[in-house]
Amino acid sequence: MSSADSARPGRGRGGERLLTISILAALLAALLPVVRVIDPGWWLIGALLLAAMILAAGYTARRYRLPAVAVTLIEAAVWAVFMTLVFLRDTALLWAIPTLDTIRAVPLLVESAMEEITVGAAPLEPTVSLAFIVVGAMGLLTIVVDHVVVTARMPLLASVGIVAVSLIPAIAAPSDVDVIGFVFLAITILFLIRSETRSREKPLEREAERTAGVPATALGIGAIAIVVAVVATPVLPQPGARAGTGLGPGPGIDATLQLGDDLRRPQDAEVLRLRTNAPSVPYLRATTLSRFEGGVWSPDRAQTISLDADRAFGAVDADDDIRVTDYSAKVDIINLDSPWAPVPYPAIGIDGLSAGLWGAVPYNHTVASTNSSTQGQSYEVAYAPARPSLEQVRAATAVGAQVRDETTELPTDIPPVIGELALQMTAEATTDYDRLTALQRWFRGGEFLYSLDSPVEEGFDGSGADAVAQFLEVREGYCVHFASAFALMARTLHMPSRIVVGYLPGTPTTQSIDGQPVFSVYSSQLHAWPEVYFEGIGWIPFEPTSGLGVPTTFSSEATLPGQPTDPDAATPQTGATPTAPGDQAQIDLEEQRENAAGGASENGLDPLPILGVVAAVMVLLSLPFLIRELRRRTQDAAARGGDAAAAWQSVQEAAIDVGITVPASETPRAFARRLVEQHGAPASEMNTVVLAIERASYSRAGNRSQWMGDAAADAAGSVRVALLASVPPSRRILALLAPRSLIIRPGSVYAGSAPVRAR
């Protein structure tokens, strides 16, 4: 080696470059699942850019043969400068050098991101704090993986870490298996392990001492494993929890009306299953909130009575002339950890609760425990809803001497807009029921929008009077805002009101037990709705939340007894509790909302999904060509830099692509002669490539000092073109779109035979 060569930094081998690229690909595969939790944006580009910069810095530092500690410190410095420049430049010196103010700002960003993750629903909006967490974590992961793979030479350990990181989004936001993402992750992991193995070998050893068939066999095993995981796993029986056998702490019920925190959580788990002999599926209540103190709704303080006591649930508040029907419902808890047992209203009996002291609350016909939980419970509830006619409910007044005073109390500083809007929206109504239905129609009309995000974005989230006033101004919110606004507006009209916390009726399943369809209720169906007390009838629920449930209506006496025939008077069971989503009234209502939101529906087929599928298929089909072309360009660049083995390998791979055998037992000259005589390769260019590989192979100490300039690279290119021209058009197209050299290596067992005849 000349003195000039010895003065140069150690030339990075092609294997080291390939290893660096494989690490970046594996990190990309681990990062992609995050887009299911956070909307794609500039953070994705920033994370990839930071990972690439750290890997490039580590690769360059190793070329200068710096110690491992120095390499890691350089990578850490790149991470710190990048994070400071992008996120904290206002606190830094010269926009990139961290200061004490920079360090103080980091906990604030982390705290803000944690709060957004806690109360947010997937996919989250890519805010600065979230981007800081994701990009920073990606950079730190890159440093760790680079050290474990390149320095410690433990690619399997790094692969386990990468797979674990990729699973975090799936745990945070459960969803269907992303088959494409899994396959991509598996391929990158195999690519990483193979690249690390190749980086240990010397270049000439890879050409002369390769064990035939080993790379292709390993690749085949990996491909089979991926196919089995993708195809066979979904066929296996899936584990499932039986009704009434919940495992571990599950979702709970927040009775402080902070339901937004629960509703915005990305997890959506099945909490219970329900079936009933009633004509429609009831809402399930957990507790009621009547006291409005300090701008906050609080659960009712009522004494529980043992379930074994006579009339533990009290009497049904309905006069003798009001029709009351007895029904039963079976509730199987799947995954719900709550001291309140969800029951239909009004419950008059319950059987099956165990493991603890359970009692009934006569005031609101609910069931609660002081020392137990609903987890794993399975019970049957008897309930008797009052079903007045439209004429009866219009004749009743929303008052009641026996109703608690706390159901009519209002804070002294209630914003005037609440009472003013209540009077304005009910000005034309003549009865209490008509006033309440007028409010219900107004809330469910086109002026209000159901949204879990808007309250947080607009800076309010709660059920207090100020939050209600802001909700009435913004006119976007979720069930808590609708229920609170309705209840407070009813109180300004001198009507007793309270709020119920419980669950929507759920969605129908394919199961049926004793002729009763089974409904499944999920944690996302946690709900709040208002009730108003009517003399002689009892508490009547209303559904003001836009986009959920069915509005409360009653049938005229002409349609009673029996089911209503008037399509505009879909009598809810439980005397006005909104019907199940599977009812026709609900279906019609959903269609109306979809038409209102999306305008007139188009009868024609939407071409965008089809075009998207076609584009995805085209991209997948072009991947082999793109990968092969990238490899060819890399080989050409290496050949022009003096790597004769790269030029020779490009000729071998071109032969494999068109179906020419490349056995390990054949010498370069014999192989070149066969290409010239049987496949039309140009003799002069072929001799140039052979001369280059022989000089490199037999030079002193195995080095490649016998550089032939660009001659070997140009000659190899000419041979490739000639080999493509020597085969039929169909084989030529196949060689370009599905190159065999991507999976069959020169000298392997699979390269020893090929279905191509001499021309």
Side-chain angles (χ1 to χ4, degrees), residues 46-47 50 54 76-89 92 95-96 98 102 106 109 128-129 131-140:
L50 177 57
I54 291 174
V78 171
W79 178 86
V81 171
F82 182 91
M83 296 296 295
T84 304
L85 182 63
V86 174
F87 296 98
L88 301 167
R89 56 180 174 274
W95 301 289
T102 305
V106 171
L109 286 174
V128 174
S129 56
F132 177 82
I133 290 293
V134 175
V135 175
M138 183 65 173
L140 294 176

PDB file of all heavy atoms in Angstrom, residues 46-47 50 54 76-89 92 95-96 98 102 106 109 128-129 131-140:
ATOM      1  N   GLY A  46     -39.211  14.543   9.833  1.00  0.00           N
ATOM      2  CA  GLY A  46     -38.185  14.914  10.803  1.00  0.00           C
ATOM      3  C   GLY A  46     -37.562  13.710  11.484  1.00  0.00           C
ATOM      4  O   GLY A  46     -36.345  13.654  11.683  1.00  0.00           O
ATOM      5  N   ALA A  47     -38.392  12.718  11.831  1.00  0.00           N
ATOM      6  CA  ALA A  47     -37.865  11.515  12.490  1.00  0.00           C
ATOM      7  C   ALA A  47     -36.942  10.737  11.565  1.00  0.00           C
ATOM      8  O   ALA A  47     -35.871  10.277  11.980  1.00  0.00           O
ATOM      9  CB  ALA A  47     -39.026  10.641  12.965  1.00  0.00           C
ATOM     10  N   LEU A  50     -33.647  12.739  11.082  1.00  0.00           N
ATOM     11  CA  LEU A  50     -32.759  12.628  12.239  1.00  0.00           C
ATOM     12  C   LEU A  50     -32.098  11.251  12.283  1.00  0.00           C
ATOM     13  O   LEU A  50     -30.889  11.142  12.541  1.00  0.00           O
ATOM     14  CB  LEU A  50     -33.555  12.877  13.524  1.00  0.00           C
ATOM     15  CG  LEU A  50     -32.775  12.716  14.828  1.00  0.00           C
ATOM     16  CD1 LEU A  50     -31.564  13.635  14.860  1.00  0.00           C
ATOM     17  CD2 LEU A  50     -33.679  12.976  16.032  1.00  0.00           C
ATOM     18  N   ILE A  54     -28.018  10.640  12.079  1.00  0.00           N
ATOM     19  CA  ILE A  54     -27.272   9.941  13.131  1.00  0.00           C
ATOM     20  C   ILE A  54     -26.513   8.752  12.545  1.00  0.00           C
ATOM     21  O   ILE A  54     -25.334   8.532  12.861  1.00  0.00           O
ATOM     22  CB  ILE A  54     -28.239   9.493  14.238  1.00  0.00           C
ATOM     23  CG1 ILE A  54     -28.762  10.708  15.003  1.00  0.00           C
ATOM     24  CG2 ILE A  54     -27.567   8.509  15.189  1.00  0.00           C
ATOM     25  CD1 ILE A  54     -29.822  10.382  16.025  1.00  0.00           C
ATOM     26  N   ALA A  76     -24.784  11.276  19.640  1.00  0.00           N
ATOM     27  CA  ALA A  76     -25.571  11.996  20.639  1.00  0.00           C
ATOM     28  C   ALA A  76     -25.528  13.498  20.402  1.00  0.00           C
ATOM     29  O   ALA A  76     -26.525  14.204  20.589  1.00  0.00           O
ATOM     30  CB  ALA A  76     -25.067  11.654  22.041  1.00  0.00           C
ATOM     31  N   ALA A  77     -24.354  13.999  19.976  1.00  0.00           N
ATOM     32  CA  ALA A  77     -24.238  15.427  19.675  1.00  0.00           C
ATOM     33  C   ALA A  77     -25.118  15.806  18.490  1.00  0.00           C
ATOM     34  O   ALA A  77     -25.769  16.864  18.494  1.00  0.00           O
ATOM     35  CB  ALA A  77     -22.779  15.781  19.403  1.00  0.00           C
ATOM     36  N   VAL A  78     -25.148  14.962  17.471  1.00  0.00           N
ATOM     37  CA  VAL A  78     -26.033  15.223  16.325  1.00  0.00           C
ATOM     38  C   VAL A  78     -27.487  15.269  16.774  1.00  0.00           C
ATOM     39  O   VAL A  78     -28.262  16.137  16.360  1.00  0.00           O
ATOM     40  CB  VAL A  78     -25.825  14.148  15.245  1.00  0.00           C
ATOM     41  CG1 VAL A  78     -26.875  14.274  14.148  1.00  0.00           C
ATOM     42  CG2 VAL A  78     -24.427  14.246  14.650  1.00  0.00           C
ATOM     43  N   TRP A  79     -27.863  14.329  17.647  1.00  0.00           N
ATOM     44  CA  TRP A  79     -29.240  14.306  18.165  1.00  0.00           C
ATOM     45  C   TRP A  79     -29.565  15.587  18.917  1.00  0.00           C
ATOM     46  O   TRP A  79     -30.623  16.194  18.705  1.00  0.00           O
ATOM     47  CB  TRP A  79     -29.400  13.100  19.088  1.00  0.00           C
ATOM     48  CG  TRP A  79     -30.760  13.002  19.720  1.00  0.00           C
ATOM     49  CD1 TRP A  79     -31.872  12.411  19.202  1.00  0.00           C
ATOM     50  CD2 TRP A  79     -31.148  13.503  21.006  1.00  0.00           C
ATOM     51  NE1 TRP A  79     -32.928  12.522  20.068  1.00  0.00           N
ATOM     52  CE2 TRP A  79     -32.518  13.189  21.183  1.00  0.00           C
ATOM     53  CE3 TRP A  79     -30.475  14.201  22.014  1.00  0.00           C
ATOM     54  CZ2 TRP A  79     -33.209  13.537  22.342  1.00  0.00           C
ATOM     55  CZ3 TRP A  79     -31.162  14.553  23.165  1.00  0.00           C
ATOM     56  CH2 TRP A  79     -32.524  14.217  23.320  1.00  0.00           C
ATOM     57  N   ALA A  80     -28.664  16.012  19.802  1.00  0.00           N
ATOM     58  CA  ALA A  80     -28.920  17.196  20.617  1.00  0.00           C
ATOM     59  C   ALA A  80     -29.023  18.453  19.752  1.00  0.00           C
ATOM     60  O   ALA A  80     -29.915  19.289  19.952  1.00  0.00           O
ATOM     61  CB  ALA A  80     -27.818  17.354  21.668  1.00  0.00           C
ATOM     62  N   VAL A  81     -28.126  18.607  18.792  1.00  0.00           N
ATOM     63  CA  VAL A  81     -28.149  19.795  17.929  1.00  0.00           C
ATOM     64  C   VAL A  81     -29.422  19.815  17.070  1.00  0.00           C
ATOM     65  O   VAL A  81     -30.073  20.846  16.921  1.00  0.00           O
ATOM     66  CB  VAL A  81     -26.884  19.828  17.040  1.00  0.00           C
ATOM     67  CG1 VAL A  81     -27.003  20.919  15.983  1.00  0.00           C
ATOM     68  CG2 VAL A  81     -25.643  20.058  17.895  1.00  0.00           C
ATOM     69  N   PHE A  82     -29.782  18.657  16.529  1.00  0.00           N
ATOM     70  CA  PHE A  82     -30.979  18.598  15.681  1.00  0.00           C
ATOM     71  C   PHE A  82     -32.230  18.941  16.494  1.00  0.00           C
ATOM     72  O   PHE A  82     -33.069  19.749  16.056  1.00  0.00           O
ATOM     73  CB  PHE A  82     -31.114  17.198  15.083  1.00  0.00           C
ATOM     74  CG  PHE A  82     -32.289  17.042  14.157  1.00  0.00           C
ATOM     75  CD1 PHE A  82     -32.152  17.282  12.800  1.00  0.00           C
ATOM     76  CD2 PHE A  82     -33.539  16.661  14.631  1.00  0.00           C
ATOM     77  CE1 PHE A  82     -33.226  17.145  11.938  1.00  0.00           C
ATOM     78  CE2 PHE A  82     -34.621  16.517  13.785  1.00  0.00           C
ATOM     79  CZ  PHE A  82     -34.458  16.763  12.432  1.00  0.00           C
ATOM     80  N   MET A  83     -32.403  18.325  17.659  1.00  0.00           N
ATOM     81  CA  MET A  83     -33.583  18.586  18.481  1.00  0.00           C
ATOM     82  C   MET A  83     -33.636  20.039  18.926  1.00  0.00           C
ATOM     83  O   MET A  83     -34.714  20.651  18.966  1.00  0.00           O
ATOM     84  CB  MET A  83     -33.578  17.659  19.703  1.00  0.00           C
ATOM     85  CG  MET A  83     -33.685  16.179  19.367  1.00  0.00           C
ATOM     86  SD  MET A  83     -35.239  15.746  18.567  1.00  0.00           S
ATOM     87  CE  MET A  83     -36.392  16.093  19.886  1.00  0.00           C
ATOM     88  N   THR A  84     -32.482  20.594  19.254  1.00  0.00           N
ATOM     89  CA  THR A  84     -32.448  21.997  19.665  1.00  0.00           C
ATOM     90  C   THR A  84     -32.791  22.917  18.507  1.00  0.00           C
ATOM     91  O   THR A  84     -33.583  23.867  18.654  1.00  0.00           O
ATOM     92  CB  THR A  84     -31.066  22.346  20.226  1.00  0.00           C
ATOM     93  OG1 THR A  84     -30.751  21.460  21.305  1.00  0.00           O
ATOM     94  CG2 THR A  84     -31.024  23.775  20.716  1.00  0.00           C
ATOM     95  N   LEU A  85     -32.213  22.666  17.347  1.00  0.00           N
ATOM     96  CA  LEU A  85     -32.431  23.529  16.194  1.00  0.00           C
ATOM     97  C   LEU A  85     -33.879  23.484  15.722  1.00  0.00           C
ATOM     98  O   LEU A  85     -34.452  24.501  15.332  1.00  0.00           O
ATOM     99  CB  LEU A  85     -31.493  23.107  15.059  1.00  0.00           C
ATOM    100  CG  LEU A  85     -31.548  23.950  13.772  1.00  0.00           C
ATOM    101  CD1 LEU A  85     -31.128  25.384  14.061  1.00  0.00           C
ATOM    102  CD2 LEU A  85     -30.646  23.334  12.707  1.00  0.00           C
ATOM    103  N   VAL A  86     -34.502  22.332  15.772  1.00  0.00           N
ATOM    104  CA  VAL A  86     -35.863  22.182  15.251  1.00  0.00           C
ATOM    105  C   VAL A  86     -36.914  22.619  16.258  1.00  0.00           C
ATOM    106  O   VAL A  86     -37.878  23.302  15.908  1.00  0.00           O
ATOM    107  CB  VAL A  86     -36.103  20.719  14.815  1.00  0.00           C
ATOM    108  CG1 VAL A  86     -37.561  20.510  14.412  1.00  0.00           C
ATOM    109  CG2 VAL A  86     -35.179  20.361  13.660  1.00  0.00           C
ATOM    110  N   PHE A  87     -36.738  22.265  17.546  1.00  0.00           N
ATOM    111  CA  PHE A  87     -37.804  22.474  18.520  1.00  0.00           C
ATOM    112  C   PHE A  87     -37.511  23.576  19.541  1.00  0.00           C
ATOM    113  O   PHE A  87     -38.454  24.170  20.068  1.00  0.00           O
ATOM    114  CB  PHE A  87     -38.077  21.165  19.271  1.00  0.00           C
ATOM    115  CG  PHE A  87     -38.582  20.060  18.403  1.00  0.00           C
ATOM    116  CD1 PHE A  87     -37.721  19.085  17.929  1.00  0.00           C
ATOM    117  CD2 PHE A  87     -39.919  19.989  18.048  1.00  0.00           C
ATOM    118  CE1 PHE A  87     -38.185  18.049  17.134  1.00  0.00           C
ATOM    119  CE2 PHE A  87     -40.388  18.958  17.247  1.00  0.00           C
ATOM    120  CZ  PHE A  87     -39.517  17.993  16.777  1.00  0.00           C
ATOM    121  N   LEU A  88     -36.248  23.817  19.848  1.00  0.00           N
ATOM    122  CA  LEU A  88     -35.928  24.705  20.974  1.00  0.00           C
ATOM    123  C   LEU A  88     -34.931  25.790  20.585  1.00  0.00           C
ATOM    124  O   LEU A  88     -34.151  26.241  21.425  1.00  0.00           O
ATOM    125  CB  LEU A  88     -35.375  23.871  22.134  1.00  0.00           C
ATOM    126  CG  LEU A  88     -36.303  22.768  22.671  1.00  0.00           C
ATOM    127  CD1 LEU A  88     -35.532  21.829  23.580  1.00  0.00           C
ATOM    128  CD2 LEU A  88     -37.477  23.382  23.409  1.00  0.00           C
ATOM    129  N   ARG A  89     -34.922  26.192  19.324  1.00  0.00           N
ATOM    130  CA  ARG A  89     -33.908  27.166  18.881  1.00  0.00           C
ATOM    131  C   ARG A  89     -34.050  28.518  19.568  1.00  0.00           C
ATOM    132  O   ARG A  89     -33.078  29.268  19.679  1.00  0.00           O
ATOM    133  CB  ARG A  89     -33.951  27.334  17.371  1.00  0.00           C
ATOM    134  CG  ARG A  89     -35.295  27.734  16.810  1.00  0.00           C
ATOM    135  CD  ARG A  89     -35.230  27.863  15.290  1.00  0.00           C
ATOM    136  NE  ARG A  89     -36.532  28.105  14.698  1.00  0.00           N
ATOM    137  CZ  ARG A  89     -37.391  27.155  14.354  1.00  0.00           C
ATOM    138  NH1 ARG A  89     -37.044  25.894  14.532  1.00  0.00           N
ATOM    139  NH2 ARG A  89     -38.560  27.458  13.835  1.00  0.00           N
ATOM    140  N   ALA A  92     -31.819  28.513  22.580  1.00  0.00           N
ATOM    141  CA  ALA A  92     -30.453  28.027  22.389  1.00  0.00           C
ATOM    142  C   ALA A  92     -29.517  29.150  21.967  1.00  0.00           C
ATOM    143  O   ALA A  92     -29.940  30.220  21.507  1.00  0.00           O
ATOM    144  CB  ALA A  92     -30.430  26.921  21.339  1.00  0.00           C
ATOM    145  N   TRP A  95     -28.970  29.259  17.931  1.00  0.00           N
ATOM    146  CA  TRP A  95     -30.093  28.422  17.491  1.00  0.00           C
ATOM    147  C   TRP A  95     -29.830  26.914  17.589  1.00  0.00           C
ATOM    148  O   TRP A  95     -30.727  26.135  17.338  1.00  0.00           O
ATOM    149  CB  TRP A  95     -30.507  28.741  16.054  1.00  0.00           C
ATOM    150  CG  TRP A  95     -30.920  30.154  15.860  1.00  0.00           C
ATOM    151  CD1 TRP A  95     -32.054  30.744  16.308  1.00  0.00           C
ATOM    152  CD2 TRP A  95     -30.183  31.152  15.174  1.00  0.00           C
ATOM    153  NE1 TRP A  95     -32.088  32.065  15.951  1.00  0.00           N
ATOM    154  CE2 TRP A  95     -30.942  32.344  15.242  1.00  0.00           C
ATOM    155  CE3 TRP A  95     -28.960  31.174  14.511  1.00  0.00           C
ATOM    156  CZ2 TRP A  95     -30.519  33.536  14.671  1.00  0.00           C
ATOM    157  CZ3 TRP A  95     -28.536  32.345  13.945  1.00  0.00           C
ATOM    158  CH2 TRP A  95     -29.302  33.517  14.025  1.00  0.00           C
ATOM    159  N   ALA A  96     -28.632  26.494  17.919  1.00  0.00           N
ATOM    160  CA  ALA A  96     -28.317  25.067  17.882  1.00  0.00           C
ATOM    161  C   ALA A  96     -27.593  24.559  19.118  1.00  0.00           C
ATOM    162  O   ALA A  96     -27.566  23.350  19.348  1.00  0.00           O
ATOM    163  CB  ALA A  96     -27.475  24.744  16.646  1.00  0.00           C
ATOM    164  N   PRO A  98     -27.488  23.978  22.959  1.00  0.00           N
ATOM    165  CA  PRO A  98     -28.416  23.992  24.103  1.00  0.00           C
ATOM    166  C   PRO A  98     -27.886  24.828  25.257  1.00  0.00           C
ATOM    167  O   PRO A  98     -26.679  24.889  25.511  1.00  0.00           O
ATOM    168  CB  PRO A  98     -28.530  22.510  24.490  1.00  0.00           C
ATOM    169  CG  PRO A  98     -28.060  21.751  23.294  1.00  0.00           C
ATOM    170  CD  PRO A  98     -27.033  22.609  22.625  1.00  0.00           C
ATOM    171  N   THR A 102     -32.906  25.810  27.506  1.00  0.00           N
ATOM    172  CA  THR A 102     -33.298  24.682  26.656  1.00  0.00           C
ATOM    173  C   THR A 102     -33.634  23.468  27.502  1.00  0.00           C
ATOM    174  O   THR A 102     -34.646  22.787  27.274  1.00  0.00           O
ATOM    175  CB  THR A 102     -32.162  24.337  25.678  1.00  0.00           C
ATOM    176  OG1 THR A 102     -31.809  25.502  24.932  1.00  0.00           O
ATOM    177  CG2 THR A 102     -32.592  23.241  24.729  1.00  0.00           C
ATOM    178  N   VAL A 106     -37.567  21.356  28.132  1.00  0.00           N
ATOM    179  CA  VAL A 106     -37.854  19.964  27.766  1.00  0.00           C
ATOM    180  C   VAL A 106     -38.959  19.347  28.622  1.00  0.00           C
ATOM    181  O   VAL A 106     -39.901  18.746  28.092  1.00  0.00           O
ATOM    182  CB  VAL A 106     -36.559  19.128  27.825  1.00  0.00           C
ATOM    183  CG1 VAL A 106     -36.873  17.638  27.667  1.00  0.00           C
ATOM    184  CG2 VAL A 106     -35.594  19.581  26.740  1.00  0.00           C
ATOM    185  N   LEU A 109     -42.434  20.408  27.417  1.00  0.00           N
ATOM    186  CA  LEU A 109     -42.881  19.746  26.193  1.00  0.00           C
ATOM    187  C   LEU A 109     -43.313  18.309  26.470  1.00  0.00           C
ATOM    188  O   LEU A 109     -44.333  17.840  25.938  1.00  0.00           O
ATOM    189  CB  LEU A 109     -41.763  19.771  25.146  1.00  0.00           C
ATOM    190  CG  LEU A 109     -41.492  21.108  24.454  1.00  0.00           C
ATOM    191  CD1 LEU A 109     -40.259  21.000  23.567  1.00  0.00           C
ATOM    192  CD2 LEU A 109     -42.692  21.544  23.640  1.00  0.00           C
ATOM    193  N   VAL A 128     -46.587  20.260  18.275  1.00  0.00           N
ATOM    194  CA  VAL A 128     -45.141  20.401  18.462  1.00  0.00           C
ATOM    195  C   VAL A 128     -44.653  19.487  19.585  1.00  0.00           C
ATOM    196  O   VAL A 128     -43.603  18.845  19.473  1.00  0.00           O
ATOM    197  CB  VAL A 128     -44.793  21.871  18.756  1.00  0.00           C
ATOM    198  CG1 VAL A 128     -43.309  22.004  19.102  1.00  0.00           C
ATOM    199  CG2 VAL A 128     -45.129  22.748  17.562  1.00  0.00           C
ATOM    200  N   SER A 129     -45.421  19.412  20.667  1.00  0.00           N
ATOM    201  CA  SER A 129     -44.980  18.579  21.794  1.00  0.00           C
ATOM    202  C   SER A 129     -44.971  17.101  21.429  1.00  0.00           C
ATOM    203  O   SER A 129     -44.039  16.369  21.788  1.00  0.00           O
ATOM    204  CB  SER A 129     -45.891  18.827  22.997  1.00  0.00           C
ATOM    205  OG  SER A 129     -47.246  18.597  22.657  1.00  0.00           O
ATOM    206  N   ALA A 131     -44.628  15.890  18.371  1.00  0.00           N
ATOM    207  CA  ALA A 131     -43.521  15.717  17.429  1.00  0.00           C
ATOM    208  C   ALA A 131     -42.184  15.660  18.170  1.00  0.00           C
ATOM    209  O   ALA A 131     -41.296  14.881  17.808  1.00  0.00           O
ATOM    210  CB  ALA A 131     -43.519  16.850  16.409  1.00  0.00           C
ATOM    211  N   PHE A 132     -42.037  16.472  19.212  1.00  0.00           N
ATOM    212  CA  PHE A 132     -40.804  16.461  19.997  1.00  0.00           C
ATOM    213  C   PHE A 132     -40.569  15.081  20.609  1.00  0.00           C
ATOM    214  O   PHE A 132     -39.449  14.550  20.569  1.00  0.00           O
ATOM    215  CB  PHE A 132     -40.885  17.521  21.095  1.00  0.00           C
ATOM    216  CG  PHE A 132     -39.690  17.557  22.004  1.00  0.00           C
ATOM    217  CD1 PHE A 132     -38.540  18.238  21.635  1.00  0.00           C
ATOM    218  CD2 PHE A 132     -39.706  16.900  23.223  1.00  0.00           C
ATOM    219  CE1 PHE A 132     -37.427  18.261  22.464  1.00  0.00           C
ATOM    220  CE2 PHE A 132     -38.607  16.914  24.065  1.00  0.00           C
ATOM    221  CZ  PHE A 132     -37.466  17.599  23.681  1.00  0.00           C
ATOM    222  N   ILE A 133     -41.625  14.485  21.158  1.00  0.00           N
ATOM    223  CA  ILE A 133     -41.500  13.164  21.779  1.00  0.00           C
ATOM    224  C   ILE A 133     -41.150  12.104  20.742  1.00  0.00           C
ATOM    225  O   ILE A 133     -40.233  11.298  20.927  1.00  0.00           O
ATOM    226  CB  ILE A 133     -42.802  12.797  22.509  1.00  0.00           C
ATOM    227  CG1 ILE A 133     -42.988  13.675  23.744  1.00  0.00           C
ATOM    228  CG2 ILE A 133     -42.803  11.330  22.906  1.00  0.00           C
ATOM    229  CD1 ILE A 133     -41.980  13.434  24.829  1.00  0.00           C
ATOM    230  N   VAL A 134     -41.879  12.094  19.622  1.00  0.00           N
ATOM    231  CA  VAL A 134     -41.685  11.043  18.624  1.00  0.00           C
ATOM    232  C   VAL A 134     -40.321  11.172  17.950  1.00  0.00           C
ATOM    233  O   VAL A 134     -39.577  10.192  17.820  1.00  0.00           O
ATOM    234  CB  VAL A 134     -42.816  11.080  17.582  1.00  0.00           C
ATOM    235  CG1 VAL A 134     -42.553  10.060  16.481  1.00  0.00           C
ATOM    236  CG2 VAL A 134     -44.158  10.798  18.247  1.00  0.00           C
ATOM    237  N   VAL A 135     -39.997  12.375  17.500  1.00  0.00           N
ATOM    238  CA  VAL A 135     -38.725  12.583  16.810  1.00  0.00           C
ATOM    239  C   VAL A 135     -37.553  12.312  17.760  1.00  0.00           C
ATOM    240  O   VAL A 135     -36.569  11.656  17.391  1.00  0.00           O
ATOM    241  CB  VAL A 135     -38.656  14.002  16.233  1.00  0.00           C
ATOM    242  CG1 VAL A 135     -37.279  14.269  15.624  1.00  0.00           C
ATOM    243  CG2 VAL A 135     -39.735  14.199  15.178  1.00  0.00           C
ATOM    244  N   GLY A 136     -37.659  12.818  18.985  1.00  0.00           N
ATOM    245  CA  GLY A 136     -36.587  12.586  19.947  1.00  0.00           C
ATOM    246  C   GLY A 136     -36.408  11.117  20.270  1.00  0.00           C
ATOM    247  O   GLY A 136     -35.289  10.614  20.340  1.00  0.00           O
ATOM    248  N   ALA A 137     -37.526  10.407  20.465  1.00  0.00           N
ATOM    249  CA  ALA A 137     -37.442   8.977  20.750  1.00  0.00           C
ATOM    250  C   ALA A 137     -36.861   8.213  19.572  1.00  0.00           C
ATOM    251  O   ALA A 137     -36.090   7.259  19.753  1.00  0.00           O
ATOM    252  CB  ALA A 137     -38.830   8.439  21.104  1.00  0.00           C
ATOM    253  N   MET A 138     -37.213   8.626  18.356  1.00  0.00           N
ATOM    254  CA  MET A 138     -36.661   7.970  17.169  1.00  0.00           C
ATOM    255  C   MET A 138     -35.149   8.159  17.110  1.00  0.00           C
ATOM    256  O   MET A 138     -34.403   7.228  16.773  1.00  0.00           O
ATOM    257  CB  MET A 138     -37.320   8.554  15.919  1.00  0.00           C
ATOM    258  CG  MET A 138     -36.880   7.900  14.619  1.00  0.00           C
ATOM    259  SD  MET A 138     -37.385   6.168  14.527  1.00  0.00           S
ATOM    260  CE  MET A 138     -36.904   5.795  12.836  1.00  0.00           C
ATOM    261  N   GLY A 139     -34.672   9.341  17.441  1.00  0.00           N
ATOM    262  CA  GLY A 139     -33.233   9.584  17.437  1.00  0.00           C
ATOM    263  C   GLY A 139     -32.501   8.751  18.470  1.00  0.00           C
ATOM    264  O   GLY A 139     -31.445   8.158  18.193  1.00  0.00           O
ATOM    265  N   LEU A 140     -33.051   8.679  19.679  1.00  0.00           N
ATOM    266  CA  LEU A 140     -32.421   7.876  20.726  1.00  0.00           C
ATOM    267  C   LEU A 140     -32.435   6.396  20.362  1.00  0.00           C
ATOM    268  O   LEU A 140     -31.455   5.675  20.607  1.00  0.00           O
ATOM    269  CB  LEU A 140     -33.143   8.103  22.050  1.00  0.00           C
ATOM    270  CG  LEU A 140     -33.031   9.523  22.643  1.00  0.00           C
ATOM    271  CD1 LEU A 140     -33.863   9.634  23.901  1.00  0.00           C
ATOM    272  CD2 LEU A 140     -31.579   9.886  22.912  1.00  0.00           C
TER     273      LEU A 140
END
